[in-house]
Amino acid sequence: MRVERGTLDGVLIFHPTPHHDDRGLFTRTFDAAVAAAHGLDPAAFIQDSQSRSRLGTVRALHGRSGRGEAKLVRCARGAVHDVLVDARPGSPTFGQAMSVVLDDEAFAHLYVPPGLLHGYQALTGQADVCYRIDREHDPAEDVSVRYDDPDLAIAWPLPVTAISGRDLSAGSWKDLRRRLGA
């Protein structure tokens, strides 16, 4: 498994090595020893979740206040355009965004450190995204920024076909920066 650093401070991308034969393929999507060798505590991830989205759906941009939440994200079915925004005021990459395609062909696994906003857009008819999260969800700590915030100028690759009312009513990047004291 190859591990690559993302363009945002602390982000890691794990690239498994699928083994193909006449039956199909086999790949290891997570390896605790590899994660530990790159500074992650595999035992810290206490919750697994999965979402399913149809083509063009955007789920974005979500994060947690307080201690934040770390997560490992992968696309188990289809493909997504995954986006991260650094919302950690003391970070050298604060306010910067990065994106990566996660799919069921390359099986990349994205490590998202606490304090980042996360979102994605489904690039295929159906896309299943799996999350391994390091703490229980506390709705009181939810923070979000609208997916089309002009200050972030995220380039979503497809027209948006579906988005939740909650995501449409999310605040601005400017408001979150004020809230964070940045």
Side-chain angles (χ1 to χ4, degrees):
M1 184 174 293
R2 182 174 59 83
V3 180
E4 170 188 357
R5 295 203 176 280
T7 58
L8 299 180
D9 187 44
V11 173
L12 298 172
I13 306 168
F14 294 85
H15 297 278
T17 305
H19 301 280
H20 298 267
D21 63 20
D22 59 340
R23 299 168 294 170
L25 68 87
F26 173 85
T27 192
R28 180 177 300 134
T29 59
F30 180 75
D31 188 312
V34 173
H38 288 85
L40 304 183
D41 175 8
F45 294 93
I46 62 168
Q47 185 182 86
D48 280 4
S49 301
Q50 181 171 337
S51 67
R52 176 167 291 159
S53 302
R54 65 180 190 271
L55 178 68
T57 296
V58 168
R59 296 179 185 258
L61 293 158
H62 309 136
R64 303 281 177 267
S65 61
R67 291 184 304 141
E69 115 187 323
K71 51 188 151 187
L72 291 166
V73 181
R74 71 183 180 93
C75 186
R77 177 184 188 186
V80 297
H81 177 80
D82 202 279
V83 175
L84 301 176
V85 176
D86 193 339
R88 303 167 294 180
S91 169
T93 54
F94 176 73
Q96 295 178 27
M98 69 171 275
S99 63
V100 61
V101 172
L102 301 177
D103 63 27
D104 62 2
E105 299 280 328
F107 303 101
H109 216 113
L110 182 64
Y111 171 68
V112 182
L116 271 64
L117 298 175
H118 175 252
Y120 65 86
Q121 182 176 43
L123 300 176
T124 54
Q126 283 193 336
D128 286 9
V129 175
C130 300
Y131 308 81
R132 183 168 280 177
I133 303 166
D134 75 340
R135 54 188 290 234
E136 291 183 18
H137 179 242
D138 180 354
E141 294 183 339
D142 287 352
V143 296
S144 60
V145 171
R146 195 172 151 100
Y147 77 101
D148 60 353
D149 184 276
D151 291 331
L152 293 176
I154 304 295
W156 300 101
L158 300 174
V160 176
T161 59
I163 191 162
S164 72
R166 178 178 157 231
D167 287 352
L168 284 174
S169 65
S172 70
W173 174 243
K174 191 176 295 181
D175 289 342
L176 182 59
R177 287 183 64 161
R178 258 184 287 206
R179 189 171 156 194
L180 295 171

